[in-house]
Amino acid sequence: MASHDVLKMDTNNVRKPRQKLSKTEKKLQQKQVKARNTLLRHEGIETVSSPTKSLVIANGGLGNGVSRRQLISVVEECGSVEALLMPPKKPYSFVRYGLLEDCRRAYAALNGKEITLEDSRQSVVLYVNFVGKVPWEVTAPTALPPGLRVIEDVVSPEEEKQLLESIEWTEDEVIPNAQKSLKHRRVKHFGYEFRYDNNNVDRDRPLPGGLPELCNGLLAKWLKLGYIKEKPDQLTINQYEPGQGIPPHIDTHSAFEDEIISLSLGSEIVMDFKHPDGQAAAAMLPQRSLLVMSGESRYLWTHGITPRKFDIVQASEGWKAGPVSADIGDLTLNKRGKRTSFTFRKVRRSPCNCAYPSVCDSQGKDTVPSFPVSDSEASKLEEKFVHEVYEEIAGHFSNTRHSPWPRVVEFLRGLPCGAVVADVGCGNGKYLGVSKELYMLGCDRSRNLVAICGQKGFQAFVGDALTVPIRSGSCDACISIAVIHHFATAERRMASLCELVRLLRPGGRALIYVWALEQEYNKQRSKYLKEKRASRSRMEETNGDPDESGCQQLVHPSDSTRQEAHPMLPVHTNRTSFDSQDLLVPWHLKDGTKKKAELTKLHQRPSNSANSCEPSPVFHRYYHVFCEGELEQVCKSLDGIKVVESYHDQGNWCIVLEKQ
């Protein structure tokens, strides 16, 4: 049925047939149709033209900042409401009326209705459509992760006041050497300083004074009551303003003992937990409650706080603590207040021997690399062995990057016409011209590569993948092809993924490629291993480094044309399997540029043979090659996304994720 016929049928239910519409009514009708199409395209929600007892209310959801209390007061003005369903994080809701006539009345009254959000000066305009079926599934109660407890009212209001007043904040007490998402938060340490650059403590440098006496008294009481098993010796106090949060993480196994406990003062908060298999749970931590994490919840599940000003909580009276249910018939918004957390830990003195070696830095050398140990060291390493190298090799690199990978092309051409796509780490722009039906924008750290994009007529700019200067939620899709493996710590790789998610609108998708540790997978060798250097007569693109010397060239680390390697990172031998996840991969410069000529002249080696080869300058690029399941596990720990597809493609691990 044509869209204009649908409109005619919709309006026939609330107006006289063929009545001439005013300009305002036409505009409202267009908005209604747009909302209907958006719901179908991005959410799969089908509306119907004939009146029913149920409506879908676009812009009237928890994701828009509309609370249950506010929306129920609006919809009840039109009649008796049987159910109001508000899916978490979605910009729409469903209402079901007891009488068909009440639903007709709501259809006419609520379309185009503007409401001002509670606790805000912002407003939203509602658009409604009839629906035949409401996607409401009865969900089982959500359980907390094993080993996690929330104990209410562990301190009195008077003790809470004493604790808060005992903190002597100073203006400069913000987190040093922290990721962007952690900055501007006030923090104090007692017993030992918690290092945010390496998520550890210096055991040999205890802070003077130990823990505050007021805390010692509380800890002794909690021990006696059986809330905790041993007395902590380290305390971190954090103050969170509404809208602030902490990234998903697991406290370092080798740094602290089993129990991690956190006291919430000043305001309640919802904390998010995620298992490596994707299972998620949200827990309400009431004001003056104690969170105790031990066992699986401490060692295996990530925990974090989503940065937002409202939490999605149960609407039921009497509900205060514990898991937040997924029941969309009982969810609402709760405005955050200023919260202060007292997080206690006990410093570990021996290696961790927990039952979760896959995520334990004390068991398994490949899970947490020993280098670099801080964010600042990682940044310096990337500057020397990634950014500076690409500036030097840009021309040669571009000559080897001309054939788009088929599955990346398939992803891009599957996007709707007019989609806005960000290519973060676009290189020479080989994907920017894949489809003229897309609006593509490239971003890369290398000025020389961005200049090459400009020469090709593509839109690209210089930018860092950790802080992309594009408005949040403005992209229909993002691609990150062979970029994230250049970040030198797990935290920086996680931050780059979070940045991609930030750019996406709800329903938007990202395609991510990283180099794989497993270059032989399902009994098939990757193109990188198949193409032996000596047999190549011409330069071909692969996901590795072309080394198309005209003769056999054995480069020794002492060669003066070779960029100095890092003493703590192995140098990989091209076209061979990887022996380490963190390594340097050589690039033999063969572009005949002035830079190469100057280097060759300065470092000319004596030749005893007329057939000897002139040495090429050799640069080293840092890589963290991903093992099977690693990228998927990191993506599943992100809040508000789902992994749509995960696969291995010619020596790369690949993920398609969707923002919820």
Side-chain angles (χ1 to χ4, degrees):
M1 182 181 291
S3 60
H4 64 274
D5 294 327
V6 175
L7 287 177
K8 192 177 295 182
M9 292 182 69
D10 280 343
T11 55
N12 283 344
N13 293 311
V14 293
R15 302 186 181 90
K16 293 180 180 180
R18 302 186 183 279
Q19 180 180 352
K20 188 175 181 180
L21 301 180
S22 67
K23 186 176 180 180
T24 301
E25 287 174 324
K26 287 181 179 178
K27 185 176 181 180
L28 172 60
Q29 200 175 76
Q30 291 170 352
K31 293 283 188 180
Q32 183 187 11
V33 172
K34 183 177 180 181
R36 176 192 306 156
N37 293 337
T38 299
L39 288 168
L40 178 61
R41 185 168 65 251
H42 298 311
E43 302 293 339
I45 297 171
E46 295 188 23
T47 61
V48 297
S49 57
S50 301
T52 66
K53 292 183 180 181
S54 299
L55 294 173
V56 58
I57 307 175
N59 292 342
L62 298 174
N64 294 100
V66 181
S67 71
R68 175 174 293 274
R69 182 179 64 180
Q70 181 174 21
L71 191 58
I72 196 71
S73 67
V74 171
V75 297
E76 283 185 339
E77 292 177 358
C78 302
S80 176
V81 173
E82 285 189 348
L84 177 63
L85 310 180
M86 304 187 75
K89 303 177 184 178
K90 298 296 185 181
Y92 57 83
S93 297
F94 299 95
V95 60
R96 184 167 65 233
Y97 286 91
L99 299 175
L100 181 62
E101 189 57 38
D102 289 343
C103 197
R104 285 174 178 264
R105 188 181 301 112
Y107 179 92
L110 299 183
N111 253 319
K113 184 178 180 62
E114 184 175 355
I115 61 174
T116 302
L117 302 179
E118 293 178 341
D119 303 310
S120 171
R121 295 180 179 179
Q122 295 181 332
S123 62
V124 296
V125 179
L126 306 180
Y127 301 101
V128 302
N129 282 282
F130 292 112
V131 289
K133 295 181 180 179
V134 177
W136 185 14
E137 298 179 0
V138 177
T139 57
T142 304
L144 293 177
L148 188 147
R149 291 182 296 154
V150 180
I151 308 167
E152 297 182 61
D153 299 319
V154 294
V155 296
S156 66
E158 293 74 21
E159 289 172 321
E160 177 185 38
K161 183 179 179 182
Q162 285 181 314
L163 286 166
L164 292 174
E165 290 178 348
S166 70
I167 309 170
E168 297 180 359
W169 295 115
T170 59
E171 292 184 1
D172 59 347
E173 284 178 313
V174 295
I175 301 174
N177 305 318
Q179 297 283 344
K180 179 184 177 183
S181 58
L182 297 176
K183 291 183 177 178
H184 311 302
R185 217 170 67 208
R186 295 208 291 185
V187 63
K188 288 185 76 74
H189 303 286
F190 298 88
Y192 295 84
E193 180 182 1
F194 184 85
R195 296 282 303 279
Y196 286 89
D197 54 355
N198 62 7
N199 294 323
N200 213 316
V201 296
D202 189 341
R203 298 171 180 79
D204 299 323
R205 298 180 63 184
L207 299 174
L211 302 188
E213 194 56 40
L214 192 58
C215 294
N216 284 326
L218 290 173
L219 292 170
K221 182 173 73 172
W222 297 342
L223 275 167
K224 186 176 181 181
L225 292 171
Y227 296 162
I228 59 177
K229 296 177 182 178
E230 54 185 351
K231 183 182 177 182
D233 55 10
Q234 193 275 334
L235 165 64
T236 297
I237 302 176
N238 278 292
Q239 188 179 83
Y240 300 86
E241 297 287 343
Q244 292 182 327
I246 51 177
H249 67 285
I250 299 174
D251 283 56
T252 307
H253 289 204
S254 63
F256 305 109
E257 293 286 354
D258 183 39
E259 283 185 332
I260 307 290
I261 63 176
S262 183
L263 176 65
S264 295
L265 302 177
S267 179
E268 66 272 17
I269 197 74
V270 170
M271 183 170 283
D272 300 307
F273 298 85
K274 205 158 192 178
H275 190 276
D277 67 5
Q279 182 183 355
M284 166 62 89
L285 311 182
Q287 184 177 349
R288 298 189 297 278
S289 71
L290 187 68
L291 170 71
V292 181
M293 292 186 294
S294 63
E296 183 176 317
S297 66
R298 180 266 187 266
Y299 289 120
L300 188 60
W301 292 63
T302 64
H303 63 278
I305 297 174
T306 303
R308 58 193 176 205
K309 294 187 178 181
F310 291 85
D311 281 318
I312 298 172
V313 300
Q314 307 301 134
S316 304
E317 291 186 13
W319 181 85
K320 287 178 61 180
V324 179
S325 165
D327 181 4
I328 64 176
D330 187 35
L331 295 179
T332 189
L333 295 178
N334 185 59
K335 187 178 182 182
R336 286 184 181 176
K338 182 186 291 185
R339 172 178 174 265
T340 302
S341 69
F342 282 56
T343 301
F344 298 90
R345 308 172 179 92
K346 185 172 180 62
V347 174
R348 186 182 291 277
R349 302 292 174 178
S350 59
C352 176
N353 61 351
C354 68
Y356 312 97
S358 64
V359 291
C360 181
D361 59 317
S362 291
Q363 309 174 59
K365 60 182 181 179
D366 290 333
T367 54
V368 179
S370 60
F371 180 83
V373 297
S374 71
D375 191 74
S376 59
E377 282 186 351
S379 181
K380 291 177 182 177
L381 184 147
E382 292 162 14
E383 180 64 28
K384 182 175 182 180
F385 292 100
V386 181
H387 307 321
E388 291 181 4
V389 173
Y390 276 106
E391 291 295 75
E392 295 286 351
I393 69 173
H396 186 203
F397 178 86
S398 180
N399 289 338
T400 70
R401 265 60 183 170
H402 47 77
S403 300
W405 296 344
R407 295 201 66 171
V408 180
V409 174
E410 179 183 350
F411 173 84
L412 291 173
R413 291 182 176 169
L415 298 172
C417 179
V420 177
V421 185
D423 184 350
V424 180
C426 64
N428 68 340
K430 72 176 181 179
Y431 295 109
L432 297 179
V434 163
S435 174
K436 294 182 179 180
E437 295 183 344
L438 303 176
Y439 182 81
M440 295 202 64
L441 192 63
C443 168
D444 200 279
R445 189 66 158 68
S446 168
R447 293 183 179 275
N448 289 337
L449 287 173
V450 169
I452 292 172
C453 291
Q455 293 168 7
K456 296 179 179 180
F458 299 140
Q459 295 195 54
F461 57 88
V462 176
D464 195 313
L466 294 177
T467 53
V468 182
I470 296 178
R471 189 174 71 249
S472 300
S474 60
C475 296
D476 298 294
C478 295
I479 60 173
S480 173
I481 311 301
V483 176
I484 293 173
H485 52 216
H486 285 311
F487 288 105
T489 65
E491 291 78 10
R492 292 169 73 82
R493 293 188 284 273
M494 169 73 82
S496 67
L497 289 167
C498 289
E499 189 70 353
L500 291 174
V501 174
R502 180 188 68 80
L503 300 180
L504 293 173
R505 59 156 178 80
R509 292 190 172 190
L511 173 64
I512 301 157
Y513 268 55
V514 294
W515 215 354
L517 176 69
E518 298 83 0
Q519 289 297 304
E520 186 168 347
Y521 188 70
N522 285 342
K523 299 182 180 180
Q524 290 189 348
R525 303 177 75 198
S526 69
K527 189 176 181 181
Y528 175 71
L529 292 183
K530 287 179 180 177
E531 295 188 355
K532 294 298 182 181
R533 172 176 57 190
S535 64
R536 296 179 70 189
S537 59
R538 62 184 180 88
M539 191 186 314
E540 297 181 15
E541 172 166 12
T542 70
N543 62 330
D545 298 304
D547 183 9
E548 71 298 349
S549 306
C551 62
Q552 186 76 13
Q553 183 178 349
L554 300 177
V555 183
H556 191 273
S558 63
D559 287 351
S560 55
T561 54
R562 192 181 186 92
Q563 179 196 23
E564 183 180 355
H566 196 285
M568 297 184 68
L569 290 171
V571 177
H572 177 62
T573 302
N574 281 334
R575 308 293 164 194
T576 64
S577 298
F578 295 114
D579 295 320
S580 172
Q581 280 194 268
D582 295 272
L583 41 77
L584 298 175
V585 177
W587 182 282
H588 300 268
L589 188 64
K590 303 289 285 185
D591 62 353
T593 62
K594 180 180 179 182
K595 172 69 68 175
K596 178 212 166 181
E598 290 175 352
L599 285 171
T600 304
K601 183 177 180 181
L602 285 171
H603 304 299
Q604 187 72 44
R605 293 184 296 180
S607 174
N608 296 323
S609 170
N611 296 323
S612 64
C613 294
E614 179 181 274
S616 299
V618 180
F619 297 91
H620 298 102
R621 292 177 298 163
Y622 167 83
Y623 280 85
H624 171 84
V625 289
F626 282 66
C627 63
E628 183 174 5
E630 181 180 358
L631 178 62
E632 185 172 1
Q633 179 177 330
V634 175
C635 288
K636 284 183 175 179
S637 71
L638 298 174
D639 186 69
I641 72 103
K642 71 173 181 180
V643 173
V644 177
E645 187 178 10
S646 177
Y647 58 94
H648 187 275
D649 183 23
Q650 282 298 325
N652 297 278
W653 288 115
C654 319
I655 287 281
V656 177
L657 58 81
E658 179 176 300
K659 187 172 183 178
Q660 300 297 289

